C-alpha cells in the first residue's frame, strides 16, 4: 500500500503517491533554480498539470511516478532550461519545491478539530491516530493543557 498526497499542480488538484510527488517537486524545483521568469515557471507547472490530467483515466485515480516521468519526458529535462542560477538570486518559491525541507503545517485533509495533530503526525512521519491518542493522554495527565493546543492552532500555519 502506498501513501498518497493531495497536491495542487498548476491550479489543479491531484492525488499523487508520495514517490510521484517527490519526483515532481524535485523536477519543478530544479527548473525553478534555472529560470528567473516567474511566468515561464508557472507555464511549465501548468503544462505538467495538463499532461497529468491527460494521463489520468479518471480524476479519482492516483498519479503514479510513471505518469510523472512521462510528463517530464514530454516537457523536457530541467537542464534544457539553462544553468543553475546563483542561490542568492533564487526566488522564495524555490522553498516550496524543495522536497528535502519538511515544514510544520496544520493539515487541511487530516483533521478532527484544527488539523494540529494531523500536521504534527505528518511532520513527525507517524500515524495521525497515534498522535491524537498521545495528545489526549497529555491533556488528561496534565503534560499539556488545552491552552498549548490552542496556541499551536494559532501559530502553526495551514497547508
Amino acid at each position: 500500500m502506498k501513501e498518497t498526497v493531495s497536491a495542487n499542480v498548476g491550479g489543479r488538484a491531484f492525488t499523487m503517491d508520495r514517490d510521484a510527488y517527490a519526483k515532481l517537486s524535485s523536477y519543478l524545483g530544479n527548473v525553478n533554480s534555472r529560470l528567473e521568469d516567474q511566468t515561464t515557471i508557472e507555464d511549465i507547472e501548468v503544462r505538467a498539470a495538463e499532461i497529468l490530467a491527460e494521463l489520468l483515466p479518471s480524476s479519482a485515480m492516483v498519479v503514479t511516478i510513471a505518469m510523472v516521468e512521462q510528463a517530464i519526458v514530454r516537457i523536457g529535462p530541467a537542464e534544457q532550461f539553462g544553468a543553475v542560477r546563483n542561490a542568492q538570486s533564487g526566488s522564495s518559491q524555490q522553498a516550496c519545491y524543495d522536497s528535502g525541507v519538511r515544514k510544520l503545517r496544520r493539515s487541511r485533509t487530516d483533521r478532527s478539530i484544527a488539523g494540529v495533530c494531523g500536521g504534527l503526525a505528518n511532520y513527525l512521519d507517524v500515524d495521525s491516530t497515534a498522535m491524537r491518542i498521545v495528545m489526549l493522554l497529555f491533556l488528561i495527565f496534565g503534560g499539556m493543557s488545552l491552552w498549548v493546543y490552542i496556541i499551536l492552532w494559532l501559530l502553526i500555519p495551514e497547508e
Side-chain angles (χ1 to χ4, degrees), residues 107 110-112 115-122 125-138:
S107 177
D110 187 12
R111 63 171 33 180
S112 291
V116 173
C117 290
L120 284 170
N122 188 29
D125 200 24
V126 297
D127 183 50
S128 60
T129 304
M131 179 60 70
R132 287 185 182 94
I133 291 171
V134 168
M135 292 289 274
L136 182 64
L137 291 173
F138 278 143

Side-chain angles (χ1 to χ4, degrees), residues 31 46 61 78 83 89 123 137 158-159:
V31 168
V46 167
M61 302 281 295
S89 65
Y123 182 76
L137 291 173
E158 193 172 48
E159 297 183 302

Side-chain angles (χ1 to χ4, degrees), residues 53-103:
E54 282 177 26
L55 296 174
L56 278 176
S58 163
S59 61
M61 302 281 295
V62 175
V63 175
T64 64
I65 194 164
M67 292 175 186
V68 170
E69 288 171 345
Q70 237 181 319
I72 291 171
V73 166
R74 287 173 63 179
I75 295 170
E79 292 78 22
Q80 80 179 6
F81 298 107
V84 175
R85 290 181 291 140
N86 184 355
Q88 298 293 332
S89 65
S91 69
S92 63
Q93 189 175 1
Q94 173 69 25
C96 296
Y97 295 123
D98 189 3
S99 61
V101 176
R102 292 179 3 173
K103 294 184 179 182

